[in-house]
Amino acid sequence: MTATKKNYGFATKSVHAGEEPDFRDGATGDVVVPIHLATTFARKKVNEPTAGYEYTRSLNPTRKALETKLAALENAAYGLAFSSGLAAETTLLLSLLKSGDHIIAFDDLYGGTKRLFNHIFNEYDIAASFVDLTDAALLNDAIQPNTKLVWLESPSNPLLKVSDIQAIAAIAHAHNLLLVVDNTFLSPYFQQPLTLGADIVVHSSTKYIGGHSDVLGGSVLLNDETLYNRIQYRQNAVGAVLSPFDSYLTLRGIKTLALRMERHQENALKIAHFLQQHPKVKRVLYPGLPTHPQYDLARKQTSGSGGVLSFEIHGSINDAEQFLERLELFALAESLGGVESLIELPAAMTHASVAKEVREQIGITDTLIRISVGVEDTDDLIADLQQALA
Ligand SMILES: *Cc1c(COP(=O)(O)O)cnc(C)c1O
């Protein structure tokens, strides 16, 4: 009961919210919410209601515990858990938009979200414009009579651009638009967009929230009850819900979120400093570096810079490939947010589907490399980068 309601700190909520021991008659007092595998729940009599659960697609006790915990961490009234980040986004878009509507999205967006806008919702006559929202004023120019939604990631992927969530929320609300923030990169530990004025937060919990590269998931967090009911109706009607086992794994991951985020950040900052002074490195992009163009804004709206950084090396795409293949500790892989360090070449991997001109125009050059810094010993990570750069 209590951990969810009381104004406890983040780490306390991570451990306790949604998982208070159950002492009702016959209950066991588990300190960990059980994995409720049942797909259906019985009632005693035809005309008597069930104990609250009927069918797992509609509501499941393990998933509900996770939804409660996620809402507590984002300081949201409501949370919903889906089978992936993109399932969460799809269900959300189906809840907010209809044919003829228009979305304004940040130009440096997760590739899968861009694909969803440009190749799926586009077919239902929902158009998206992509704007560099690091200049909040550009939002004004992009608003059309049919615009309904602004979609933001901050910091962005892979360029780590930071946008002013408060300023963008103010412009959006002046035009009756909803602001959605994808908070995957920082997790609620470092940034809470709802408290900055965003209307809805989405997450790929596959990343930091799950934290161990072993469970796919997505979530939607918000305060508006009417909207919540609309989304929940579609969560059940569309059916892309998180399974009980995956809900359990995510609950388990969240318990160390605060510890992990601190270590991710500590390692990322040390690596950023190391790379910055290396002669083969052209530039380092990390919001925790005073050289980052939005360093002050990042300090104002976040409590930390997370574990993802990008950097550009001198040379050609072949040099970048050679460097990546020489690394021993960093796995050459897409995704981010797990305890293990991952490295990738956006031009050839996560952003290969983006046309080269478009890529270069927004700054994703052939030698731009993205790291998701894990929680290993920093010295080992730096030694590995050092030998591969040499
Ligand atoms: C991975 C990711 C998604 C998509 O989530 P999935 O769980 O892979 O479906 C959305 N947004 C961001 C920022 C991501 O990194």
Side-chain angles (χ1 to χ4, degrees):
M1 278 319 277
T2 50
T4 314
K5 304 244 160 64
K6 277 192 198 152
N7 202 18
Y8 283 130
F10 190 93
T12 306
K13 289 195 279 191
S14 304
V15 175
H16 293 287
E19 296 199 78
E20 293 82 8
D22 187 352
F23 294 122
R24 285 171 306 185
D25 267 1
T28 53
D30 304 63
V31 298
V32 174
V33 160
I35 308 172
H36 291 271
L37 292 172
T39 53
T40 189
F41 301 84
R43 62 185 81 198
K44 275 193 180 139
K45 291 186 173 164
V46 173
N47 290 319
E48 255 178 35
T50 62
Y53 298 94
E54 288 169 8
Y55 188 64
T56 276
R57 171 160 34 71
S58 318
L59 198 61
N60 171 278
T62 314
R63 192 174 83 233
K64 188 171 163 53
L66 173 63
E67 291 176 337
T68 304
K69 197 187 282 290
L70 287 167
L73 297 184
E74 280 287 1
N75 283 312
Y78 305 103
L80 296 144
F82 298 86
S83 53
S84 70
L86 286 173
E89 294 182 16
T90 301
T91 309
L92 177 62
L93 292 166
L94 289 171
S95 309
L96 302 179
L97 301 173
K98 58 178 179 5
S99 289
D101 287 346
H102 173 244
I103 307 168
I104 298 172
F106 191 48
D107 63 356
D108 187 32
L109 211 60
Y110 175 71
T113 306
K114 262 195 179 164
R115 181 176 56 201
L116 193 59
F117 292 162
N118 287 337
H119 298 287
I120 306 295
F121 280 91
N122 188 46
E123 297 206 338
Y124 297 87
D125 192 25
I126 292 169
S129 305
F130 296 93
V131 177
D132 182 1
L133 293 173
T134 52
D135 181 356
L138 292 179
L139 176 57
N140 280 308
D141 305 333
I143 295 172
Q144 301 176 11
N146 57 342
T147 305
K148 291 284 155 60
L149 202 66
V150 180
W151 191 286
L152 191 65
E153 274 176 39
S154 180
S156 67
N157 175 22
L159 295 169
L160 288 310
K161 294 202 269 182
V162 177
S163 298
D164 189 335
I165 296 176
Q166 247 168 337
I168 290 169
I171 298 171
H173 293 156
H175 292 85
N176 276 322
L177 312 178
L178 289 170
L179 173 61
V180 177
V181 176
D182 180 337
N183 201 25
T184 300
F185 263 48
L186 287 184
S187 90
Y189 183 67
F190 284 135
Q191 176 169 272
Q192 298 178 353
L194 297 179
T195 65
L196 295 167
D199 301 287
I200 299 167
V201 165
V202 299
H203 277 286
S204 167
S205 54
T206 311
K207 314 295 167 53
Y208 287 107
I209 289 178
H212 297 75
S213 306
D214 58 3
V215 58
L216 210 61
S219 58
V220 172
L221 297 311
L222 73 170
N223 287 317
D224 186 290
E225 188 181 359
T226 310
L227 264 183
Y228 166 70
N229 289 332
R230 239 184 113 70
I231 303 164
Q232 196 189 34
Y233 182 87
R234 279 153 187 78
Q235 181 190 39
N236 177 49
V238 174
V241 294
L242 195 67
S243 76
F245 185 68
D246 289 350
S247 297
Y248 158 76
L249 280 177
T250 310
L251 280 164
R252 188 182 219 261
I254 291 174
K255 286 169 195 169
T256 55
L257 182 59
L259 299 170
R260 286 187 282 109
M261 291 314 290
E262 284 294 339
R263 181 58 176 252
H264 283 299
Q265 165 167 263
E266 190 190 321
N267 279 355
L269 193 59
K270 285 183 186 156
I271 288 175
H273 284 138
F274 161 76
L275 290 170
Q276 221 174 13
Q277 54 72 46
H278 199 285
K280 288 194 176 150
V281 175
K282 204 157 142 192
R283 60 176 184 146
V284 181
L285 307 173
Y286 182 61
L289 288 176
T291 49
H292 189 281
Q294 290 114 13
Y295 178 76
D296 293 332
L297 172 61
R299 299 283 70 71
K300 195 183 86 176
Q301 72 181 11
T302 69
S303 58
S305 303
V308 178
L309 62 91
S310 295
F311 63 105
E312 212 175 314
I313 60 167
H314 292 291
S316 65
I317 194 157
N318 291 335
D319 297 315
E321 284 170 9
Q322 264 189 39
F323 161 67
L324 293 174
E325 287 163 15
R326 270 198 213 122
L327 289 161
E328 286 164 9
L329 212 44
F330 289 79
L332 184 51
E334 300 183 3
S335 197
L336 57 109
V339 290
E340 60 291 293
S341 290
L342 306 176
I343 198 158
E344 68 116 359
L345 191 61
M349 295 169 66
T350 47
H351 293 65
S353 62
V354 183
K356 190 175 162 78
E357 313 85 67
V358 179
R359 257 198 291 115
E360 306 244 303
Q361 198 192 335
I362 62 175
I364 306 174
T365 60
D366 280 351
T367 61
L368 184 84
I369 292 161
R370 187 189 79 186
I371 304 185
S372 170
V373 182
V375 300
E376 301 95 334
D377 288 299
T378 332
D379 292 347
D380 292 335
L381 294 175
I382 289 178
D384 196 24
L385 291 167
Q386 178 104 53
Q387 66 77 20
L389 278 168

